[in-house]
């Protein structure tokens, strides 16, 4: 796959939403990413996978890492901030000490770092918080100097508590030190409770724990139109057709399935456009109910 360079912009009421790409990921065997993977599913339902979502041999899933630039009449907002540059990630080699033109792509989309008013984070994993900070003079400093950074206080407490320092969380402990705690030290972090209430006008953090301890899905409304940013409740479009399939990255399996079902119900019931974090192609689409009670997906 080529590196993503699309800057497609979508309108939601009087808000615009633009994808800021960082990485394409194509070396993820389906049977590893999704432990319950059944290759026969694509024999029975070949239309469930589009050509840009999986390799031609139907062995590897295609995924991406990107952020969403959201412009309202009042604010310029980033939702999740990818992996970041120069970050030491010894346990995740594909993310180790990257050098990507993410900020140049942000500028191409019309925003400089100082233009960002708020950064909203669905959770505090390695590929969602990396551009919170950049390396300057040997120190990690906030990348977006005028922004307030909003995220779950419970997530931060969990990932900085030595009792949770295990093999699953070893990268996340490093991540807090270089990409999250510097925000707290700089006084630009706002630790929130993920309870479905608005954090900004039209923006709410909905509780969808499971992938991580206090994962949030962010809902946005404007002039009667609705969107949802589900973070990592979903990693790939196949999970919309098979929501019972967790990914290998989901820490709390039963809760992750419950959260995924909530997201799909919300998207279908509210006619909410879904802006994914890791889906390939446009990464944006619509969830509809099938006649058998399941869900289906259409990229837009």
């Amino acid at each position: 796959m080529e590196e993503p360079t699309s800057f497609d912009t979508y309108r939601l009421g009087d808000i615009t939403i633009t994808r800021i790409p960082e990485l394409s990921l194509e070396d993820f065997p389906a049977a590893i990413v999704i432990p319950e993977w059944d290759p026969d599913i694509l024999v029975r339902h070949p239309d469930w996978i589009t050509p840009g979502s999986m390799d031609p041999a139907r062995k590897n899933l295609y995924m991406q890492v990107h952020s969403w630039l959201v412009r309202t009449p009042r604010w310029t907002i980033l939702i999740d901030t990818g992996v970041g540059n120069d970050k030491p990630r010894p346990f995740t080699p594909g993310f180790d000490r990257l050098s990507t033109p993410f900020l140049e792509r942000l500028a191409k989309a019309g925003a400089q770092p100082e233009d960002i008013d708020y950064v909203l984070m669905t959770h505090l994993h390695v590929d969602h918080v990396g551009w919170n900070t950049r390396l300057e003079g040997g120190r990690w400093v906030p990348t977006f100097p005028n922004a307030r950074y909003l995220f779950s206080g419970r997530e931060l407490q969990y990932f900085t508590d030595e009792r949770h320092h295990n093999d699953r969380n070893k990268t996340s402990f490093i991540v807090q030190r270089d990409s999250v705690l510097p925000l707290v030290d700089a006084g630009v972090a706002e630790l929130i409770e993920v309870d479905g209430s608005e954090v900004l006008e039209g923006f709410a953090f909905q509780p969808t724990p499971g992938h991580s301890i206090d994962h949030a899905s962010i809902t946005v409304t404007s002039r009667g139109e609705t969107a949802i940013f589900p973070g990592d409740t979903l990693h790939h479009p196949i999970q919309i057709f098979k929501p019972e399939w967790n990914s290998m990255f989901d820490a709390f399996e039963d809760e992750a399935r419950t959260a995924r079902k909530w997201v799909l119900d919300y998207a279908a019931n509210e006619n909410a456009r879904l802006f994914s974090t890791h889906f390939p192609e446009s990464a944006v689409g619509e969830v509809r109910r099938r006649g058998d009670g399941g869900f289906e997906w259409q990229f837009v």
Side-chain angles (χ1 to χ4, degrees):
M1 293 173 64
E2 295 180 356
E3 281 298 302
T5 56
S6 172
F7 295 92
D8 292 341
T9 295
Y10 305 86
R11 181 164 289 278
L12 184 83
D14 56 12
I15 291 172
T16 61
I17 304 169
T18 304
R19 181 177 59 158
I20 310 300
E22 186 179 26
L23 296 172
S24 285
L25 307 173
E26 58 184 36
D27 298 323
F28 281 94
I32 293 177
V33 175
I34 300 176
E36 296 172 282
W37 177 261
D38 175 6
D40 289 341
I41 201 75
L42 299 183
V43 176
R44 299 192 298 271
H45 303 282
D47 57 323
W48 284 9
I49 287 287
T50 54
S53 293
M54 200 168 187
D55 74 325
R58 296 195 166 186
K59 298 291 186 181
N60 293 334
L61 302 177
Y62 291 159
M63 295 189 289
Q64 298 175 357
V65 178
H66 45 255
S67 299
W68 294 103
L69 175 67
V70 183
R71 291 185 177 93
T72 81
R74 296 178 60 188
W75 305 305
T76 301
I77 296 167
L78 273 183
I79 296 181
D80 287 337
T81 66
V83 180
N85 280 358
D86 306 308
K87 302 292 173 77
R89 303 290 182 248
F91 305 115
T92 49
F95 294 159
D96 189 45
R97 300 184 188 277
L98 295 181
S99 178
T100 70
F102 178 83
L103 293 182
E104 289 84 348
R105 292 170 179 169
L106 182 66
K108 184 176 179 181
Q112 298 295 330
E114 58 269 21
D115 296 331
I116 306 301
D117 299 303
Y118 292 96
V119 176
L120 311 182
M121 282 162 267
T122 58
H123 63 298
L124 301 182
H125 279 172
V126 59
D127 50 341
H128 293 258
V129 302
W131 277 104
N132 288 348
T133 60
R134 59 184 176 82
L135 194 60
E136 184 178 276
R139 297 175 54 247
W140 297 106
V141 301
T143 301
F144 311 104
N146 299 319
R148 304 295 295 175
Y149 294 73
L150 279 61
F151 54 91
S152 164
R154 186 181 177 207
E155 285 258 320
L156 180 62
Q157 182 180 39
Y158 181 86
F159 285 126
T160 54
D161 188 330
E162 290 295 331
R163 291 175 297 177
H164 304 131
H165 194 170
N166 53 36
D167 281 347
R168 174 179 283 276
N169 293 329
K170 58 189 177 182
T171 292
S172 294
F173 270 78
I174 298 172
V175 166
Q176 309 314 304
R177 291 198 296 267
D178 60 35
S179 299
V180 182
L181 289 174
L183 307 177
V184 177
D185 294 341
V188 297
E190 293 188 18
L191 307 185
I192 66 166
E193 184 174 348
V194 177
D195 60 5
S197 59
E198 283 192 340
V199 295
L200 299 169
E201 183 180 359
F203 292 75
F205 279 59
Q206 307 291 346
T208 49
H211 174 70
S212 65
I213 190 70
D214 202 32
H215 184 284
S217 295
I218 298 172
T219 54
V220 182
T221 59
S222 177
R223 295 190 176 274
E225 297 184 328
T226 304
I228 184 166
F229 297 80
D232 280 3
T233 59
L234 293 153
H235 282 83
H236 193 270
I238 192 64
Q239 292 176 290
I240 292 173
F241 298 94
K242 297 290 289 183
E244 66 271 25
W245 285 359
N246 278 338
S247 83
M248 63 180 288
F249 309 109
D250 293 328
F252 307 95
E253 295 185 1
D254 290 342
E255 293 90 339
R257 293 187 181 95
T258 298
R260 190 173 305 111
K261 181 63 162 52
W262 183 90
V263 165
L264 297 177
D265 279 331
Y266 181 91
N269 293 343
E270 301 297 326
N271 195 28
R273 184 158 288 186
L274 189 148
F275 291 81
S276 72
T277 302
H278 294 303
F279 285 14
E281 303 185 54
S282 71
V284 182
E286 296 173 347
V287 176
R288 296 287 181 264
R289 294 190 188 277
R290 300 198 308 264
D292 61 3
F295 299 95
E296 60 186 11
W297 169 255
Q298 179 67 52
F299 280 107
V300 297

